[in-house]
Amino acid sequence: MSSAAPTGFARLFNPRGIAVVGASGDPQRIGGQPVGILRDTGYRGAIYPVNPKYGEINGLRCYPDVMSVPQPCDLALIAVNATLVPQVLADCGKAGIAHAVVFSAGFRETGEDGARLESQIKAAARNHGVRFIGPNCIGVMNLKERVYCGFGPGFANADLKSGPVAFVSQSGGFAFSVVALADFEGISFNYIVSTGNEADISTLDLIADFLERDDVEVVVTYIEGITDGRRLREIGRRALEIGKPILVWKVGNSDIGRAAAESHTASMTASYTLYRTAFNEGGFIEIDDVHDLVDAARAFMSRRLPRGPNVAVITTSGGSGVMIADACDRHGLRMPRLAPATISAIERVAPKYSTLSNPVDLTAQISANSRDFNHIVGLMLADPNVDQLIIRYGGVQGKKGEEWANSLATITDATDKPVLVAWSRVPDPNEASMQLLEKKRIPWLLTPTRAANAAGALYAFSRKRAAHLARARREFTRTLAPQALDFLQQPRILSEHQSKRRLAQYGIPVAREVVMSLAEIERMSAAPLPFPVAVKIDSPDIPHKTEAGAVRLNVGDLNALKAAARQVVGSALDTKPGARVNGVLISEMAQGVEAIVGAVDDRFFGPVVMFGLGGIHAEIFKDVSYRFAPFDLAIAHEMIREIRAHPLLTGHRGKPALALDALAMTLSRVSLLIADHAGRIAEIDINPLFINDKSVSAADALIVLKAAPAS
Amino acid sequence: MSSAAPTGFARLFNPRGIAVVGASGDPQRIGGQPVGILRDTGYRGAIYPVNPKYGEINGLRCYPDVMSVPQPCDLALIAVNATLVPQVLADCGKAGIAHAVVFSAGFRETGEDGARLESQIKAAARNHGVRFIGPNCIGVMNLKERVYCGFGPGFANADLKSGPVAFVSQSGGFAFSVVALADFEGISFNYIVSTGNEADISTLDLIADFLERDDVEVVVTYIEGITDGRRLREIGRRALEIGKPILVWKVGNSDIGRAAAESHTASMTASYTLYRTAFNEGGFIEIDDVHDLVDAARAFMSRRLPRGPNVAVITTSGGSGVMIADACDRHGLRMPRLAPATISAIERVAPKYSTLSNPVDLTAQISANSRDFNHIVGLMLADPNVDQLIIRYGGVQGKKGEEWANSLATITDATDKPVLVAWSRVPDPNEASMQLLEKKRIPWLLTPTRAANAAGALYAFSRKRAAHLARARREFTRTLAPQALDFLQQPRILSEHQSKRRLAQYGIPVAREVVMSLAEIERMSAAPLPFPVAVKIDSPDIPHKTEAGAVRLNVGDLNALKAAARQVVGSALDTKPGARVNGVLISEMAQGVEAIVGAVDDRFFGPVVMFGLGGIHAEIFKDVSYRFAPFDLAIAHEMIREIRAHPLLTGHRGKPALALDALAMTLSRVSLLIADHAGRIAEIDINPLFINDKSVSAADALIVLKAAPAS
């Protein structure tokens, strides 16, 4: 299913009739709640309790089974014992009820028996044409149409407002407390889904669907783990394409958090590094608490994106300007000087002792004069050096606040630059003004730092969107045509020489080398390569050559070469008796800065390439960058620029700049190699890759294959 | 003045009478506000308007000058033109008014003339025995006694509650919006001070005073910059000693933020690195937004500190457990397994499908059963593996919430371990329960992540406090007695050899070396040290020898040595004709891992030592640690452990562990050297210091002196 197409859940969220299967008169039971909740919260369609034990529930006629429910009925809420769910889903299909929400627990989350039962409900639903949410979820809400399909305190709150945000959550109970807090801070939702075990409809299905809805401007998702990383990336691209952000609250990222998540959802999760790679690439904005959610949602609801990183700040208090500057710095935003013409125009009206650098501090002197304040706002918005504006206007309150907000709305109407208001008052005394800003989609944020964070989110999305659209306009340029590689006769771990041959076939520079038998070397009267050389064992059974004592570096003459060859064979066979030995590898000693290039075919996300410098950089400082494969030179250069050690590559302390074009070409070709042969290659490890001022050269390499496909 | 003693501001905050100098009938003027504000917000003492132009203001008799104001009058609020302030302060002294708050602006913040005026008001106050806050501040509040001495909207809010928190702020306007937001979230203050230009009473004076007050349990401070780093450190130690935290909101830490702060306060600020070193060492908890302030204040108001890093979590929703685990990881907290006895006891009452690892997830099944839930809370609190407990109890609301909270209070009374409640409901429906928790000093936090952050703050303070008390119990052990050093005859920059001799006098191992003239070297028939050697110029005028081409490393024989000596002298004199040359330095080539040790006598914080590994570690990754000098071996070992590259020192990848005791000794002795001679030494730079498995050795060093004291 493509994320570009709505997934056809219209009737799931807007059902003409709802069957409540396992309905009960006892509100302590899960099945005892949905009928009352639907009625009390304003559902306008027909409600059909289903339970063979009752004739009537909550004053409604109760049906013995779903087949006897009148049509149209588009949705079944299922709260029966887990073992009965397969039959109920089959019955739904027979009765023409195309969607279900399964509250029942006792499936995969409880162990093997439960997992078997979960397979059964999947099969039953598939065989009978039913799509369902859950099991083990707490429900689905369409707040706009007042369809509250669920149980528990979250569904008892009939006062929740609706708004153009959708929330897809892998946590049920917690999601509704987030909703309550966000609603309290002024962010409301049109759709909320607790996805439970996701046996059928997944978090990603729902995000893809919500992205395409006109009544959703921002999608929020709380994720503990997903299994289809490729689809996540596809959805991220779609979000950029249509300019609709996905606020993603990913938990379980630390070791202890991940362990807790796996014990909670009973599913293995990919490493956070790959999630982050996908989030950075696509239309995602990471959040990690409710205030982040509120601030980012409000900022995006302005429907404005900055064209660049430049932020201007106007305040009546120097302190908040300082704070905003610190936060802008964290988000990679810039605070440039204003244009000279802007400064002189401001000077004409600004109070004495104002600071006219950016942040502009007009001091408390201007508090009573919102007309001059807004005049300066207009001047700053017109400045070509300004991509977005953060306002903190300390003194204004009550009626005066309303006048000011009204006038601000007129000014912002005349521009398409984002304008963010840091309004540190508690809501009450300024409620009318704040509502006015909300109506005009001018975001207000409770503190200066939160305003800067919101500006950072807008810029991040805008930057990624521009890059995505630019990429979409040009063809993806392969840096090499696909090459056929022969893997069939190979063992699963290729020897160094075998690995390097495959790299060379993909145009990746490798050190010059030969493989010879020990006997050939003993007979040798002249070296095959200029000294010094490296001497190593070449064996598919000894991937860790150094640890096996099977490497000699900087070998300087013929006698030393012969001795080294004897030693590495001896050590290798001592370490691993019976190892298959292809011969002794003699290779030139490459020079330069040591880098590491790795690639794996991740089972969740597919092929991905990693780049970093050698030694401690990758291992201890984790100073590495990742991109999904395949990619072109532009992305490869991004990867190179992204590591913190980047200054070491560009002519650090008078050293020559390194051959970064050759490096980028190598990264791109590694990405093609793993992407073209992802069916066979599990892992590529080039360590080290030497980079000098003229070229790059793979000095050691290892390719690990997947188990050979059954022929 | 010692921070350990209250600074005698009792009457400043609790005056028997207040003179308002520059009082006016026009509320648009600053002087037109304080009289009305004092009366309307409940001040119970006498109010004396002072203005020769009026006979009566706001129905109160108006006095022509402060000398005619009746006694007792303990405080003058001064809102006159800046040029009149020196006279008014002098008059206050004559009239026996010991304290003043100066609202007037037009001093240092406006340029040189203002700075001169500021010197005059300092002198006038000192000469007449008056202590004052400001100038250019917005006021002082004692909320407990309803003494609102200030102007602007912050002082118009008579509804602010009082509570055991004090707030000292270098931002005026912003501070009161922070207060309003915090008050709204349930954190109230007994004292609030806007410090303005701090011409007399400083932020640090006030923090020191508030720390000693019984009605202050938590001190909050908003800082753009302070000038007395030593006093900051002293106050940090006092906070640990008495177990009272200082929540510090330091802004202006990024480059653009710092520039904004300097343009705002017109004062140079120390580097954030040194602030952070002081904050990490003392009883400070860094915060960076209002919710941090609220959460940390509430956590510390529990008056409980954890004994160790171990956190247990009990939830009814797996998702919040995952989130808390992630946040605990960020704060260095641990989430150990519970004791087997605890787990079996929980098992007896926990619902089916509960997760009994830590986080304990009892599932929504237990929502209705707060008795069992609290029974398990008690079991977990009794577990010896648990230092503090985070509770998230999702389902409880209203009356049931109150019952639960009451029972929780009884359980927590039986332990001294911190208990934090993550209560994600918006305040309204649980107001009674939340107030109950507040009354019992059980902190509640709005989200799981915020609860974990609060637990992190408690642990950080507790850990630092324990370390401080342990240090206070033992004598500070000098690793060397003070050594007399001869600097008088030296130039300001010592040559490498001269620098190393001073290091050697402080017991710091230096490479073996000799300094010889070029002529001596030419005549030489045997080398003074075993080859290979390093050959360098020794000159006080060429501190950057490598850049001057005046270094040859790995010189292997006598001829090469003579050639190298000629080359370094030639290059040095080419680069800097006329440089004073002491001779040619011949030194052994040290081996090992390269480190950098630096020390400076910072003008704000005093002597401080920096440690990091050489090359890019310090420069690009900023992987360095700092401690104020002098320090002992225990602190030196902390510095060594603190760098991220620490694994490189302890036997990384089968390499031998390095001589870390010798390294710690060197760090401690560098700290003694700079501390003992801070009057003369501006800067010490040892780069590189080689560390191998047996010893350390300074291979290059530079000492820069301060301008010689006038004799």
Side-chain angles (χ1 to χ4, degrees):
Chain A
M1 186 178 318
S2 157
S3 69
T7 46
F9 298 146
R11 286 291 170 211
L12 165 58
F13 292 110
N14 211 354
R16 289 164 296 183
I18 300 175
V20 180
V21 189
S24 152
D26 174 7
Q28 292 297 93
R29 305 178 63 113
I30 290 175
Q33 297 183 28
V35 171
I37 287 171
L38 279 165
R39 219 179 32 189
D40 299 346
T41 54
Y43 176 56
R44 289 180 301 245
I47 306 170
Y48 306 110
V50 175
N51 192 331
K53 287 191 238 165
Y54 300 96
E56 185 188 299
I57 283 178
N58 292 47
L60 293 171
R61 180 180 160 191
C62 189
Y63 297 84
D65 52 49
V66 288
M67 260 97 68
S68 48
V69 163
Q71 284 299 326
C73 176
D74 297 309
L75 178 62
L77 309 183
I78 302 176
V80 299
N81 188 292
T83 55
L84 302 177
V85 177
Q87 186 58 52
V88 172
L89 284 169
D91 289 352
C92 284
K94 290 176 204 156
I97 302 176
H99 296 99
V101 178
V102 183
F103 304 142
S104 317
F107 294 90
R108 177 166 51 90
E109 78 281 9
T110 65
E112 273 183 38
D113 289 348
R116 243 188 314 275
L117 202 53
E118 192 161 311
S119 305
Q120 289 168 25
I121 65 171
K122 284 163 80 163
R126 198 170 43 240
N127 294 340
H128 293 87
V130 176
R131 301 296 310 268
F132 68 97
I133 305 267
N136 190 26
C137 76
I138 71 167
V140 166
M141 257 187 201
N142 173 349
L143 290 103
K144 210 172 148 199
E145 302 292 336
R146 318 297 302 165
V147 190
Y148 279 42
C149 302
F151 65 96
F155 288 84
N157 185 352
D159 296 336
L160 285 175
K161 295 178 284 295
S162 74
V165 184
F167 189 10
V168 184
S169 174
Q170 292 189 330
S171 174
F174 182 67
F176 285 88
S177 62
V178 170
V179 165
L181 272 176
D183 188 76
F184 181 71
E185 285 216 40
I187 295 298
S188 305
F189 299 82
N190 278 337
Y191 304 97
I192 302 165
V193 184
S194 145
T195 61
N197 291 8
E198 306 190 11
D200 177 24
I201 298 174
S202 70
T203 290
L204 297 183
D205 292 333
L206 292 160
I207 296 175
D209 183 83
F210 288 134
L211 274 182
E212 306 301 329
R213 288 180 184 254
D214 290 337
D215 57 357
V216 174
E217 297 175 24
V218 175
V219 178
V220 178
T221 185
Y222 170 98
I223 290 180
E224 295 182 0
I226 53 112
T227 50
D228 191 348
R230 289 173 180 85
R231 180 104 188 277
L232 182 75
R233 297 182 55 211
E234 189 187 321
I235 288 171
R237 287 191 293 270
R238 178 65 184 158
L240 290 179
E241 195 174 311
I242 60 176
K244 212 177 267 190
I246 301 165
L247 311 185
V248 59
W249 187 346
K250 167 75 178 70
V251 301
N253 306 329
S254 64
D255 286 346
I256 45 175
R258 190 171 168 180
E262 288 179 0
S263 105
H264 177 219
T265 60
S267 52
M268 287 295 296
T269 58
S271 112
Y272 174 59
T273 303
L274 297 189
Y275 283 101
R276 205 181 41 201
T277 304
F279 297 155
N280 286 343
E281 169 195 78
F284 302 94
I285 297 292
E286 281 196 84
I287 56 174
D288 82 343
D289 211 336
V290 180
H291 56 268
D292 280 350
L293 187 168
V294 166
D295 296 347
R298 211 191 301 272
F300 282 105
M301 282 161 64
S302 72
R303 302 196 191 110
R304 294 169 181 223
L305 290 176
R307 265 182 294 269
N310 292 336
V311 173
V313 178
I314 174 170
T315 75
T316 53
S317 122
S320 37
V322 176
M323 218 174 298
I324 290 169
D326 280 349
C328 284
D329 185 73
R330 284 194 292 271
H331 292 287
L333 298 166
R334 292 197 207 116
M335 291 184 55
R337 289 190 165 282
L338 299 174
T342 312
I343 295 178
S344 1
I346 296 176
E347 234 158 4
R348 264 171 244 134
V349 285
K352 202 175 158 189
Y353 306 145
S354 293
T355 305
L356 301 190
S357 58
N358 184 11
V360 169
D361 173 11
L362 300 173
T363 80
Q365 299 290 330
I366 206 164
S367 296
N369 187 346
S370 70
R371 182 214 276 271
D372 281 356
F373 186 90
N374 274 355
H375 175 67
I376 296 172
V377 166
L379 292 171
M380 291 174 73
L381 277 170
D383 189 307
N385 294 351
V386 174
D387 297 318
Q388 51 184 335
L389 180 69
I390 297 177
I391 298 175
R392 187 178 140 75
Y393 189 22
V396 70
Q397 270 185 328
K399 267 288 159 212
K400 285 193 176 174
E402 286 178 63
E403 284 166 33
W404 170 72
N406 256 314
S407 140
L408 180 67
T410 309
I411 294 168
T412 58
D413 275 348
T415 167
D416 60 358
K417 296 179 182 178
V419 176
L420 302 145
V421 179
W423 206 331
S424 301
R425 309 271 159 219
V426 289
D428 309 9
N430 284 307
E431 216 181 335
S433 316
M434 285 171 156
Q435 280 171 5
L436 207 150
L437 293 186
E438 276 172 23
K439 204 175 127 211
K440 296 298 293 184
R441 299 289 186 105
I442 300 172
W444 61 266
L445 298 308
L446 267 181
T447 69
T449 301
R450 289 171 65 174
N453 293 346
L458 290 181
Y459 170 57
F461 189 84
S462 170
R463 187 173 41 74
K464 290 193 283 188
R465 179 157 203 243
H468 174 80
L469 296 179
R471 262 198 306 277
R473 271 194 299 273
R474 63 173 198 262
E475 288 281 298
F476 171 71
T477 314
R478 286 189 65 104
T479 47
L480 189 87
Q483 305 291 311
L485 296 180
D486 173 19
F487 288 123
L488 291 179
Q489 307 308 319
Q490 302 295 347
R492 279 197 58 199
I493 297 181
L494 305 196
S495 76
E496 175 177 340
H497 184 63
Q498 292 163 337
S499 299
K500 284 173 168 172
R501 269 183 46 213
R502 302 305 182 289
L503 296 182
Q505 282 180 271
Y506 260 77
I508 296 158
V510 298
R512 277 197 298 157
E513 63 188 28
V514 292
V515 176
M516 302 174 82
S517 70
L518 198 49
E520 287 170 319
I521 293 172
E522 293 288 7
R523 285 195 303 268
M524 189 187 276
S525 58
L529 291 171
F531 288 107
V533 295
V535 178
K536 313 183 220 179
I537 197 75
D538 192 59
S539 162
D541 295 329
I542 305 178
H544 303 294
K545 296 182 290 287
T546 303
E547 289 77 351
V551 175
R552 294 293 181 279
L553 299 178
N554 283 312
V555 174
D557 59 41
L558 194 60
N559 281 337
L561 168 57
K562 291 181 181 183
R566 283 190 296 270
Q567 287 160 5
V568 299
V569 173
S571 294
L573 292 176
D574 281 355
T575 307
K576 189 142 187 189
R580 287 165 291 181
V581 171
N582 299 338
V584 174
L585 184 68
I586 303 169
S587 65
E588 66 180 348
M589 291 293 304
Q591 301 293 330
V593 171
E594 288 187 35
I596 297 178
V597 179
V600 292
D601 185 32
D602 183 76
R603 66 168 160 147
F604 300 111
F605 282 91
V608 61
V609 176
M610 182 270 278
F611 166 70
L613 295 197
I616 56 148
H617 292 89
E619 198 179 336
I620 294 177
F621 291 128
K622 315 288 182 214
D623 183 23
V624 292
S625 54
Y626 290 83
R627 287 294 184 284
F628 295 110
F631 51 78
D632 60 12
L633 292 174
I635 299 275
H637 277 292
E638 272 181 31
M639 287 182 82
I640 296 168
R641 278 194 301 271
E642 203 169 285
I643 62 170
R644 279 171 292 149
H646 179 242
L648 291 187
L649 304 176
T650 53
H652 173 66
R653 289 200 152 187
K655 288 178 186 153
L658 302 183
L660 299 189
D661 287 336
L663 174 60
M665 183 62 84
T666 290
L667 292 172
S668 169
R669 285 176 174 172
V670 169
S671 83
L672 292 171
L673 170 56
I674 187 126
D676 291 347
H677 299 277
R680 281 301 277 134
I681 299 180
E683 197 180 324
I684 300 170
D685 189 20
I686 306 178
N687 182 8
L689 176 81
F690 281 97
I691 317 170
N692 58 40
D693 53 340
K694 297 192 186 60
S695 64
V696 304
S697 170
D700 196 354
L702 179 67
I703 292 180
V704 180
L705 301 181
K706 297 180 178 175
S711 55
Chain B
M1 186 178 316
S2 157
S3 70
T7 46
F9 297 147
R11 285 293 171 210
L12 166 59
F13 292 109
N14 211 355
R16 288 164 296 184
I18 300 175
V20 180
V21 189
S24 151
D26 173 6
Q28 292 297 92
R29 303 176 64 112
I30 291 176
Q33 298 183 27
V35 171
I37 287 173
L38 280 165
R39 218 177 34 186
D40 299 346
T41 54
Y43 177 56
R44 289 181 301 245
I47 306 169
Y48 306 110
V50 176
N51 192 331
K53 287 191 240 164
Y54 299 97
E56 184 188 299
I57 284 179
N58 293 46
L60 294 171
R61 179 179 160 193
C62 189
Y63 298 83
D65 53 49
V66 289
M67 260 97 67
S68 50
V69 164
Q71 284 297 326
C73 176
D74 297 308
L75 178 63
L77 309 182
I78 300 177
V80 299
N81 188 293
T83 54
L84 303 176
V85 177
Q87 186 58 51
V88 172
L89 284 169
D91 289 352
C92 284
K94 291 174 202 153
I97 302 176
H99 297 99
V101 178
V102 182
F103 304 142
S104 317
F107 294 91
R108 177 165 53 89
E109 77 281 8
T110 65
E112 273 184 38
D113 289 349
R116 243 187 315 276
L117 202 54
E118 192 161 313
S119 304
Q120 290 169 25
I121 66 172
K122 284 163 79 162
R126 198 172 42 242
N127 294 340
H128 294 86
V130 177
R131 301 295 311 267
F132 68 97
I133 305 267
N136 190 26
C137 76
I138 71 167
V140 167
M141 258 188 202
N142 173 348
L143 290 103
K144 210 173 149 198
E145 302 293 335
R146 319 296 301 165
V147 190
Y148 279 42
C149 302
F151 66 96
F155 288 84
N157 185 354
D159 296 334
L160 285 175
K161 295 177 284 295
S162 73
V165 184
F167 189 10
V168 184
S169 174
Q170 292 189 329
S171 174
F174 183 67
F176 285 89
S177 62
V178 170
V179 165
L181 272 175
D183 188 76
F184 182 71
E185 286 216 40
I187 295 298
S188 306
F189 300 82
N190 278 337
Y191 304 97
I192 302 165
V193 185
S194 146
T195 61
N197 291 8
E198 306 190 13
D200 176 23
I201 299 174
S202 71
T203 289
L204 297 182
D205 291 333
L206 291 160
I207 297 175
D209 183 83
F210 288 134
L211 274 183
E212 307 300 329
R213 288 179 185 254
D214 291 338
D215 57 356
V216 173
E217 297 174 24
V218 175
V219 178
V220 178
T221 185
Y222 170 98
I223 290 180
E224 295 182 1
I226 54 112
T227 50
D228 190 348
R230 291 173 179 83
R231 180 104 188 279
L232 183 75
R233 296 183 55 210
E234 189 187 321
I235 287 172
R237 287 192 292 271
R238 178 66 183 159
L240 290 178
E241 195 175 310
I242 60 175
K244 211 177 268 190
I246 301 165
L247 310 186
V248 60
W249 187 347
K250 167 75 178 70
V251 302
N253 305 328
S254 64
D255 285 346
I256 44 176
R258 191 171 167 179
E262 288 179 1
S263 106
H264 178 218
T265 61
S267 51
M268 286 294 296
T269 59
S271 114
Y272 175 57
T273 303
L274 297 188
Y275 282 101
R276 205 180 42 201
T277 303
F279 297 154
N280 286 343
E281 169 195 77
F284 302 95
I285 297 291
E286 281 196 84
I287 56 175
D288 82 344
D289 211 336
V290 180
H291 55 268
D292 280 351
L293 186 167
V294 166
D295 296 346
R298 211 191 301 272
F300 283 105
M301 283 162 63
S302 71
R303 303 195 191 111
R304 295 169 181 223
L305 291 176
R307 265 183 294 268
N310 293 336
V311 173
V313 177
I314 175 170
T315 75
T316 53
S317 121
S320 36
V322 175
M323 218 174 297
I324 291 169
D326 280 349
C328 283
D329 184 73
R330 285 194 292 271
H331 293 286
L333 297 166
R334 292 197 208 116
M335 291 184 54
R337 290 190 166 282
L338 299 175
T342 312
I343 295 179
S344 357
I346 296 177
E347 233 159 2
R348 265 172 243 134
V349 285
K352 201 176 158 188
Y353 306 145
S354 294
T355 305
L356 302 189
S357 58
N358 184 9
V360 169
D361 173 11
L362 300 173
T363 80
Q365 297 290 330
I366 206 163
S367 296
N369 187 346
S370 70
R371 182 214 274 273
D372 281 356
F373 186 90
N374 274 354
H375 175 67
I376 296 173
V377 165
L379 293 170
M380 292 174 73
L381 277 171
D383 189 308
N385 294 351
V386 174
D387 297 319
Q388 51 184 334
L389 181 69
I390 297 177
I391 298 174
R392 185 175 143 76
Y393 189 23
V396 69
Q397 272 185 324
K399 267 289 159 209
K400 285 193 175 174
E402 286 178 62
E403 284 166 33
W404 170 73
N406 257 315
S407 140
L408 180 68
T410 309
I411 294 169
T412 57
D413 274 348
T415 166
D416 61 358
K417 296 179 182 177
V419 176
L420 302 143
V421 178
W423 206 330
S424 303
R425 308 272 158 219
V426 290
D428 309 9
N430 283 308
E431 217 182 332
S433 316
M434 285 173 155
Q435 279 170 5
L436 207 151
L437 293 186
E438 276 172 24
K439 204 176 127 207
K440 296 298 293 184
R441 300 288 188 106
I442 300 173
W444 62 266
L445 299 308
L446 265 182
T447 70
T449 300
R450 288 170 65 173
N453 293 345
L458 290 181
Y459 170 57
F461 189 84
S462 170
R463 187 173 41 75
K464 290 193 283 189
R465 178 156 204 243
H468 174 80
L469 297 179
R471 262 199 305 278
R473 273 193 299 273
R474 64 172 198 263
E475 288 280 298
F476 171 70
T477 315
R478 286 189 64 104
T479 47
L480 190 86
Q483 306 291 311
L485 296 181
D486 173 18
F487 287 124
L488 290 179
Q489 307 308 319
Q490 302 297 347
R492 278 197 58 201
I493 297 181
L494 305 197
S495 76
E496 175 177 341
H497 184 63
Q498 292 164 334
S499 300
K500 283 174 169 170
R501 270 183 46 212
R502 303 305 183 288
L503 296 182
Q505 283 180 271
Y506 261 78
I508 296 157
V510 299
R512 278 197 297 159
E513 64 187 27
V514 291
V515 176
M516 302 174 82
S517 71
L518 199 50
E520 286 171 319
I521 294 172
E522 293 288 8
R523 286 196 302 269
M524 190 187 274
S525 58
L529 291 170
F531 288 107
V533 295
V535 178
K536 313 182 220 178
I537 198 74
D538 192 59
S539 162
D541 295 328
I542 306 178
H544 302 294
K545 297 182 288 287
T546 302
E547 289 76 351
V551 175
R552 294 292 181 280
L553 299 178
N554 282 311
V555 174
D557 59 41
L558 194 59
N559 282 337
L561 167 56
K562 291 180 181 183
R566 284 190 295 270
Q567 287 159 8
V568 302
V569 173
S571 294
L573 293 176
D574 281 354
T575 306
K576 188 141 188 188
R580 287 165 292 181
V581 171
N582 298 338
V584 174
L585 182 69
I586 303 168
S587 65
E588 66 179 349
M589 292 293 303
Q591 300 294 329
V593 171
E594 288 186 35
I596 297 179
V597 180
V600 293
D601 184 32
D602 182 76
R603 66 168 162 147
F604 300 110
F605 281 91
V608 60
V609 176
M610 184 271 278
F611 166 69
L613 295 197
I616 56 150
H617 292 89
E619 197 178 336
I620 293 178
F621 291 127
K622 315 287 182 213
D623 183 23
V624 293
S625 54
Y626 290 84
R627 289 293 186 281
F628 295 111
F631 52 78
D632 61 10
L633 292 174
I635 298 275
H637 277 292
E638 273 180 30
M639 287 182 80
I640 296 168
R641 278 194 302 271
E642 203 169 285
I643 62 169
R644 278 171 294 148
H646 180 242
L648 291 186
L649 304 175
T650 54
H652 173 67
R653 290 200 151 187
K655 287 177 186 153
L658 302 183
L660 300 190
D661 287 336
L663 174 59
M665 183 63 84
T666 291
L667 292 173
S668 169
R669 285 174 174 172
V670 170
S671 83
L672 293 170
L673 171 55
I674 187 124
D676 291 347
H677 299 278
R680 281 300 277 134
I681 299 181
E683 196 180 325
I684 301 170
D685 189 20
I686 306 178
N687 182 9
L689 176 81
F690 281 98
I691 317 170
N692 58 40
D693 54 340
K694 296 193 186 57
S695 63
V696 304
S697 171
D700 197 353
L702 180 68
I703 292 179
V704 179
L705 302 181
K706 296 179 178 176
S711 55

